[in-house]
Every structure is written in C-alpha cells, then in structure tokens.
Amino acid sequence: MVMTMTTPNTALRAVRAGMRMSQDDFARALQAAGHRAGEPNDANKRLVQRWESGAIAAPRPVYLRALEVVTGLPIELLGFAALPGAQVKADREGGHDLTSSMSDLATPEPAARPGTPHGTYVGVWLSRYQFYSSGRGESYAGQHYVVLLQHSDRLTVRSLPNSASSSLALDLTVDGSVITGTWTEQTAEEGYYRGARYHGAIQLLVEPTGRRMTGKWVGFGKAMDINTGPWELVFQDNSTSKATLDRYNTLPQDLPG
C-alpha cells in the first residue's frame, strides 16, 4: 500500500495570519467577496483548514476570484497552481479640487515586455494621485506600485507593501474604455495622518494603447470636506510572478531605470 503525503500550504497560512484573520474570519471574508461579485460560495472554516493542510491542492473556480480579492494577491502566490483559463482575458470652502495634470511627475519606464493585450490589464502598474493637504497648505503626490488582477470585467488592485508607507486598494469595473470603482487607503500609524483610513470613488479612462489609465478620485478630507484630484495608473509589467512582484516591492523612486 502506497501512502500519499500532503504538503501543507504554508503560503496561504502565512498570508491569512499576516491579515490577522482566523480561519473563520477568512472564510466569512471569502463568502462576502463572492456575494459582492455575484459568485456565491460556501467557504467555511473546514475548507480553509483543508487548503492550508494541503488536503486540497487547488481551489474550485468559484473560490478563485474570492481568494484573490480578499488577499489582493495572484493565486500563484497563495500556494496554489493557477487554474487554466482562470484569468479572463485650491483651497475653498467645501473641499479641494485639484485640476493640475500629473505630467510634471517623472514616469518610470516599464519593463522590457510587450504591452498587455487590449482589454486585459493583469500585471504591475504604477499608481499615482495628487491631493491637497489643508493642514500643510500644499498639494502632494502619492505613489504606489500595485498588482492588478482581472476576472471578466472586475479589476482588483492592491499595493505592494514596501512601495509606500500606506496601503492602497481599488475595486473596479470595466465598461469599454471607462473604469469605475472605489478606493481605500490606510495611512501609516507613524505618518502625518496617524493611521487614518480614507476611501472614496474613482473613474478612469483607458488610453487606446491600454498602457495608461487617467481620471479623477473623489473622497473626504481630514476636515470632513469633499475633495477631488487627478489619478493615473501606468503599466509596468504584465507578469505577476513572485520574482516580478519582489522586484517592484520597493519605493518607485528606488527602482533602477
């Protein structure tokens, strides 16, 4: 009799632990993500345990998007093999509205890879936005390298942890060349905003090349007023491999050209 040994999925366990979620919490988050996407699932603590123990080596397709949405990571970095075909193809009362373009900011050259196929946006992008700080009396630019995952017309965008002191998340929907959705930023505990969490809406237009998205964000400020400003995503690399994400997991200005 030959016994088959299973290999524990330490990658998934480490990601879940890093999110400070119990197995129950993680299962509930997966259910909520599936509900929001119109793809209900039956995730529960037992299923998470079986994934982490290695008893189940690959999630069923219904769990694929939920796992990527909840963790913000591609399935390959969660200890699972990618499933075939899974990735489908100034200052005034009432707030601040920044209208200046971001063209004066230097744009890092993307990696020497062919452009993403039109309509498929998976890969690493440089996210940049501008905002006005009423407390400091001037405007600032926020920059993050982000990993973008796509399932049909849904885009999940998460910042790489070492690319900025804050963490950024966008959940978007594609409609032709128009991309609309929401953004959330968790500021650093030791930074100027003392760990405050901000969120709002965003709309972007995709340039014909498919390598740049430009538009505007709207959200509330520190003084609880409504502000707007420019936001853009600039394509860098169409890979989401661990080696690629490790390369971009740094401050944008620190990455060699």
Side-chain angles (χ1 to χ4, degrees), residues 15-253:
V15 169
R16 176 184 59 77
M19 297 173 71
R20 298 182 180 180
M21 283 187 173
S22 67
Q23 291 174 331
D24 268 330
D25 293 336
F26 194 63
R28 285 193 290 268
L30 292 172
Q31 286 189 20
H35 179 74
R36 290 194 302 270
E39 300 171 350
N41 64 67
D42 297 317
N44 54 43
K45 178 180 179 180
R46 177 58 179 155
L47 179 60
V48 176
Q49 289 174 335
R50 297 189 71 192
W51 286 339
E52 293 187 355
S53 70
I56 297 178
R60 287 170 44 205
V62 70
Y63 296 107
L64 178 62
R65 171 173 164 78
L67 280 162
E68 293 189 332
V69 167
V70 170
T71 65
L73 294 171
I75 201 71
E76 298 92 331
L77 297 189
L78 298 178
F80 299 117
L83 298 182
Q87 286 185 337
V88 182
K89 323 197 187 176
D91 192 355
R92 58 183 175 82
E93 187 175 350
H96 303 284
D97 184 1
L98 295 183
T99 58
S100 60
S101 76
M102 304 185 72
S103 58
D104 55 333
L105 297 176
T107 301
E109 287 296 321
R113 287 177 168 270
T116 57
H118 186 65
T120 301
Y121 304 108
V122 174
V124 177
W125 295 67
L126 174 64
S127 166
R128 302 192 301 196
Y129 64 86
Q130 287 184 327
F131 66 99
Y132 183 84
S133 172
S134 55
R136 291 172 286 184
E138 57 184 304
S139 61
Y140 292 85
Q143 297 192 95
H144 301 73
Y145 281 122
V146 298
V147 56
L148 190 156
L149 305 175
Q150 180 171 2
H151 294 267
S152 186
D153 63 346
R154 303 294 184 89
L155 305 181
T156 299
V157 183
R158 299 292 184 267
S159 61
L160 294 173
N162 295 327
S163 67
S165 59
S166 63
S167 62
L168 188 66
L170 295 88
D171 292 288
L172 309 170
T173 301
V174 181
D175 183 3
S177 61
V178 180
I179 295 179
T180 305
T182 60
W183 62 269
T184 302
E185 183 168 12
Q186 179 67 51
T187 64
E189 292 287 346
E190 67 280 7
Y192 177 79
Y193 292 101
R194 304 289 183 180
R197 182 175 179 269
Y198 294 99
H199 52 86
I202 183 172
Q203 191 161 65
L204 305 165
L205 296 177
V206 184
E207 293 186 356
T209 61
R211 296 169 67 89
R212 185 186 297 266
M213 309 174 188
T214 59
K216 276 199 167 189
W217 62 267
V218 60
F220 66 93
K222 190 176 181 181
M224 297 307 293
D225 47 10
I226 300 299
N227 305 314
T228 70
W231 200 318
E232 69 176 5
L233 295 173
V234 183
F235 173 74
Q236 302 295 304
D237 198 303
N238 59 16
S239 171
T240 57
S241 69
K242 184 179 186 302
T244 299
L245 298 191
D246 285 346
R247 176 172 182 258
Y248 284 96
N249 192 19
T250 186
L251 298 175
Q253 59 267 31

